Amino acid sequence: MGKPHMPLLYGRGPLVGSLVPSLTGLAYDERARRKREFGDDVPVLLLTGQHGLGRSAVLEGLARHYHKRLPLAHVRVVVPGAPAAVSVGSAQPGGVPAAPAADFVQILERIVCALAPGFGLFPVLVPGLFAVSGWSLGDADVRDAVCARHARLLIACGLLAGGERDVAREWSERVEASVAEAKGAADAGAEVADDDGSLPVTAAILRELQSLRGLTPARNWYGQRHTAPDGATGKPDALLEIGRRFHRGGDYRHAVENTLMAAFLEEVAAGYGLVRHLNREPWPLILLDEAHAPAGQRFLQLLLEHRALVQRPHRDRITVVATRLGDIPEEEAPQAVRRELADLLPAAGSGRRKQAAAIWQRTGHDPSAGLLVVPLTPLSRDDVLSMLDRASARLLHPHLASALHSLTGGHPAASTVLCDAVVHAARQNRTVAPRDLLDLPTPQGRPVTQVLLEDLLPDRRQRDRLLVLCLARDNATAEALAEDLRLDGPEQLPANAAAQYLVERQWQQSVPVDAPLVESPLLQSLLVHEARRISPPPDDPHSWHQIHRFLHLHHVQRSDTGEADALRHSLAAGNAPRVVDMLTDEFGAEEAEQSVQHWLLCLRHCATAPTPPSVGTAAATHSHEDSGGWSDHRMEIALGEHAARYTHLDEAGRSINRLLHALWYLSEPYADPAIDPDAETLCQAVGDELGFLSRRHRTWYAALGRAARDWPVAARKRQVLPVPASEGS
């Protein structure tokens, strides 16, 4: 997929234009210095939010704008088990793509690789990183992976030259030759007495590294921080010892990781001596994406613990901007300072240092007190309008920005892809109306719904499940549909697995059995539209029409649900006449005054049905008794333009038919009376039809009269249509 336009500054100005420059001392969008505002104690900035809110895009923008202006490391923490996926917010050409890292040590390695060429060597940290990253003899896969990591470090530190692959091969050969040479030495027995067979390799790695640079400073530094094991004879090799402790795991590994973090912070702080201070050289900027992964959490935890020490040996001013999926729980960060984006704007009339203190200052010595948490919020309608300004206004609906914002809720990824598609269509001299948004192709020619769903739901198996199961009313119905369609997978309950996937992706909380499977309106709209677009022919068991037929029958057979869901699925399958007949029959047959509530609830609920595939889509190109090549004539039917087709109905039936189609049209996200004159006309028509029906029912007239007054008002405000209680209930 190509690189879409990403609105980094839309709604993010206080963050990238004010806060980050006050931390780094450099302006974001111009080659200018800014005063650093936070003294010798700086916060770790943690950006939180759900998928698609632009967390990664903000880091990519920072990487792009600060590249070559300060020491910069851009690291993406690999989330365990997450499938590889191309992000909508991938780095633009000329940017600094995030280097992947799977554990704490790899994060430090990536940071060193990024900082060392311009910042300087790390004579203590680098030997420590080599000491803890060996492999067991005979494990070729791990050997190759570790040697590739070592090659990057060796090249970045200027110890070996050449391409990464060639250096990795040369390093592997050197280390294995050193292992073989030491095998027959007199002290080989002492070296191989380790738990997992990695110690001989670690010893060989350190011997080869010794041939490239002196290791005495590192051995002395680590020797002061780790005591020799009991029974050790002579002075043990401190680097070999931290390798042994690291591979033992548990508390030993945590202690070594803590030591490596201390080495990193000390060496960075030591690099900022008098000359750099006088020259006001900026401190490093570390961008850590996906820090909710265990390795990212570990890195931030150790950094915050060191900064929280009462007697800090070194005051580093490294700027760390990290991202986290979802919010950070209060119990995980009890003393973190939480600010909204608007709080980051400078206040008029106050000094910069005072403004910085108002944004963040340490309140205690709990590690979390060093954390500044800023949730990323959705874009505003004005942000969307600015994104659409790239297109010719004459080809766009005047209220397209409002419609797009209503559809996406300001979700940055969805807004970006849709705006790019709109701009592309306009540049090809095509007009774009609100109802066209989800049918647009991207500039690369792919459907926008397909592109967005691949980004927002990267697990293809769960995405494919949700494309079908999203049509069900609730979890229980979705499970019945999954069983009917024989959806396969290792899980016993595919619907539960799909719901759990949405919870893990932070789209919703734990879903009750009787709640909708997909709670996000945006995600539901995308899934339903894509399901309609890719539906197979109507006679296929997985087709749109067959699925809604099954769901209709399922709700008819369920005693715990009324007929509203059954009617809704009939309408979704394109069988509006059947729905009109059933509503008309009940209107004429029911005399009980309280039954009007049930009738209105059925009418209101079934009118929220998704529309069937239209003529020209895959599912509508074949003749079918329910679809017949369905075309959207809801507006015309609601206004009585097709009255000749319904002469078999009595006056009440024809009115119910018009009313149903008016409500069905008004349920669309784009049918906002504030931006669509046709929708405003239908709001008035709803009131007229309910008023007409109220005069033709002996006991329902009062409730229908109130609905005639209240429903048009609620429809104009895009609110739930109120169902009035009858006098006798």
Side-chain angles (χ1 to χ4, degrees):
M1 191 181 81
K3 307 292 192 302
H5 168 76
M6 196 65 189
L8 289 171
L9 285 178
Y10 295 138
R12 310 296 185 247
L15 176 65
V16 300
S18 179
L19 178 60
V20 174
S22 72
L23 289 166
T24 62
L26 295 175
Y28 173 78
D29 54 358
E30 57 181 322
R31 296 275 173 175
R33 289 184 181 270
R34 293 277 291 273
K35 185 174 177 58
R36 291 193 289 258
E37 307 296 344
F38 286 89
D40 290 333
D41 198 6
V42 294
V44 170
L45 177 57
L46 182 64
L47 308 179
T48 63
Q50 68 174 144
H51 286 282
L53 278 184
R55 294 171 296 114
S56 297
V58 169
L59 296 195
E60 286 158 3
L62 293 172
R64 190 159 55 251
H65 282 75
Y66 285 110
H67 184 43
K68 295 184 178 179
R69 299 175 62 198
L70 46 60
L72 172 70
H74 188 190
V75 180
R76 177 180 60 83
V77 186
V78 177
V79 180
V86 178
S87 170
V88 170
S90 297
Q92 301 284 340
V96 183
D103 57 43
F104 170 79
V105 170
Q106 289 186 40
I107 291 176
L108 282 181
E109 289 175 354
R110 291 293 190 174
I111 292 174
V112 169
C113 287
L115 300 185
F119 180 76
L121 303 180
F122 291 82
V124 172
L125 176 60
V126 168
L129 295 175
F130 274 82
V132 300
S133 54
W135 62 87
S136 298
L137 290 171
D139 195 335
D141 291 338
V142 175
R143 177 201 63 200
D144 293 344
V146 172
C147 286
R149 290 161 49 192
H150 285 179
R152 287 191 288 269
L153 282 169
L154 292 167
I155 295 170
C157 294
L159 300 177
L160 288 177
E164 182 179 311
R165 183 174 299 179
D166 293 337
V167 171
R169 185 185 306 110
E170 176 189 346
W171 183 250
S172 173
E173 292 171 353
R174 289 177 60 163
V175 171
E176 294 202 330
S178 181
V179 171
E181 184 179 342
K183 212 169 187 180
D187 59 345
E191 288 194 355
V192 297
D194 63 305
D195 297 331
D196 61 359
S198 63
L199 197 58
V201 175
T202 301
I205 288 172
L206 294 174
R207 285 194 297 272
E208 293 306 310
L209 188 62
Q210 174 79 50
S211 69
L212 301 176
R213 69 184 301 173
L215 300 183
T216 301
R219 287 193 170 100
N220 292 338
W221 193 91
Y222 290 109
Q224 293 172 4
R225 283 159 178 79
H226 291 282
T227 58
D230 290 342
T233 58
K235 186 177 181 180
D237 185 336
L239 286 171
L240 202 59
E241 185 57 31
I242 68 166
R244 186 200 305 270
R245 291 166 67 91
F246 182 86
H247 289 292
R248 289 191 67 181
D251 294 339
Y252 294 99
R253 173 171 293 188
H254 289 172
V256 172
E257 289 176 343
N258 186 62
T259 302
L260 293 174
M261 176 60 78
F264 169 65
L265 295 177
E266 181 174 319
E267 291 198 285
V268 172
Y272 280 85
L274 180 61
V275 174
R276 276 184 167 155
H277 177 73
L278 293 176
N279 290 334
R280 293 177 58 200
E281 291 191 26
W283 285 68
L285 171 61
I286 296 175
L287 306 173
L288 191 65
D289 205 5
E290 308 287 10
H292 54 275
Q297 292 188 49
R298 181 65 178 154
F299 179 88
L300 293 184
Q301 175 192 0
L302 289 174
L303 173 62
L304 292 169
E305 286 177 356
H306 277 275
R307 287 184 170 179
L309 293 174
V310 178
Q311 298 294 330
R312 289 172 62 182
H314 299 280
R315 293 272 176 173
D316 75 275
R317 294 205 52 176
I318 301 169
T319 299
V320 178
V321 184
T323 68
R324 178 188 177 102
L325 176 63
D327 195 10
I328 184 167
E330 187 73 27
E331 59 273 15
E332 189 175 325
Q335 293 187 21
V337 175
R338 300 170 189 269
R339 294 284 184 263
E340 300 297 325
L341 282 170
D343 299 331
L344 308 181
L345 289 169
S350 60
R352 284 188 166 274
R353 184 59 59 88
K354 187 175 181 181
Q355 292 172 8
I359 292 173
W360 179 87
Q361 58 182 339
R362 187 175 294 279
T363 57
H365 291 287
D366 185 272
S368 65
L371 203 57
L372 174 58
V373 181
V374 179
L376 294 184
T377 52
L379 304 177
S380 69
R381 183 181 62 181
D382 289 342
D383 293 328
V384 173
L385 184 61
S386 297
M387 295 162 65
L388 292 175
D389 281 343
R390 297 170 291 148
S392 171
R394 68 179 180 83
L395 295 171
L396 304 183
H397 189 282
H399 294 288
L400 189 65
S402 293
L404 196 152
H405 187 265
S406 176
L407 172 65
T408 64
H411 190 276
S415 300
T416 298
V417 171
L418 288 172
C419 284
D420 285 349
V422 168
V423 171
H424 177 70
R427 287 175 178 171
Q428 295 192 334
N429 208 32
R430 289 158 46 198
T431 59
V432 182
R435 68 189 309 162
D436 303 326
L437 286 171
L438 292 183
D439 292 314
L440 293 172
T442 67
Q444 293 75 35
R446 300 178 64 203
V448 291
T449 49
Q450 181 184 57
V451 170
L452 278 171
L453 288 172
E454 286 179 0
D455 179 66
L456 301 177
L457 302 173
D459 187 321
R460 180 175 180 177
R461 184 181 64 189
Q462 301 297 359
R463 184 173 68 246
D464 289 344
R465 286 174 171 175
L466 287 166
L467 281 170
V468 176
L469 301 181
C470 71
L471 302 175
R473 171 182 179 269
D474 52 33
N475 274 13
T477 307
E479 204 56 67
L481 178 60
E483 183 178 357
D484 180 72
L485 296 176
R486 295 180 174 85
L487 297 185
D488 56 358
E491 304 92 348
Q492 292 183 341
L493 299 174
N496 280 359
Q500 183 59 33
Y501 174 67
L502 294 177
V503 172
E504 292 170 357
R505 295 284 293 179
Q506 296 284 327
W507 281 104
Q508 57 203 43
Q509 301 300 317
S510 182
V511 183
V513 174
D514 58 348
L517 187 66
V518 182
E519 290 185 348
S520 165
L522 168 63
L523 205 56
Q524 177 73 0
S525 296
L526 294 174
L527 287 165
V528 169
H529 197 86
E530 182 68 0
R532 182 166 45 225
R533 186 186 70 82
I534 65 173
S535 175
D539 55 352
D540 189 294
H542 290 73
S543 73
W544 177 277
H545 299 89
Q546 294 294 345
I547 288 172
H548 283 288
R549 274 185 157 189
F550 168 82
L551 293 172
H552 166 80
L553 182 61
H554 173 81
H555 286 292
V556 168
Q557 295 172 341
R558 278 179 66 169
S559 58
D560 60 333
T561 60
E563 60 183 311
D565 286 301
L567 291 175
R568 184 175 182 273
H569 289 295
S570 286
L571 194 58
N575 202 331
R578 179 190 297 172
V579 177
V580 172
D581 287 344
M582 295 188 70
L583 289 172
T584 302
D585 289 345
E586 188 170 346
F587 179 85
E590 289 289 348
E591 292 292 336
E593 187 176 349
Q594 59 268 27
S595 61
V596 68
Q597 298 174 51
H598 172 73
W599 189 83
L600 286 172
L601 284 169
C602 285
L603 175 65
R604 183 182 73 181
H605 184 65
C606 74
T608 64
T611 56
S614 299
V615 172
T617 62
T621 53
H622 297 72
S623 176
H624 187 266
E625 64 181 10
D626 284 345
S627 67
W630 187 85
S631 296
D632 189 359
H633 297 300
R634 290 173 294 174
M635 172 72 67
E636 295 84 352
I637 295 172
L639 297 178
E641 296 178 11
H642 293 184
R645 299 181 183 179
Y646 304 104
T647 54
H648 62 286
L649 296 173
D650 60 17
E651 284 188 332
R654 291 196 294 274
S655 177
I656 291 170
N657 184 45
R658 294 191 297 269
L659 175 61
L660 173 66
H661 282 83
L663 293 171
W664 195 11
Y665 181 89
L666 289 171
S667 70
E668 298 287 359
Y670 54 77
D672 187 344
I675 64 177
D676 183 355
D678 291 335
E680 171 57 35
T681 301
L682 289 189
C683 286
Q684 181 61 44
V686 166
D688 294 341
E689 299 298 348
L690 286 168
F692 176 85
L693 292 171
S694 72
R695 297 190 295 272
R696 277 156 180 76
H697 202 289
R698 194 169 53 181
T699 54
W700 290 4
Y701 64 89
L704 291 176
R706 285 195 296 275
R709 180 191 65 219
D710 296 340
W711 280 25
V713 175
R716 289 187 182 97
K717 295 180 179 179
R718 309 293 283 170
Q719 297 173 345
V720 176
L721 305 177
V723 174
S726 60
E727 296 294 336
S729 62

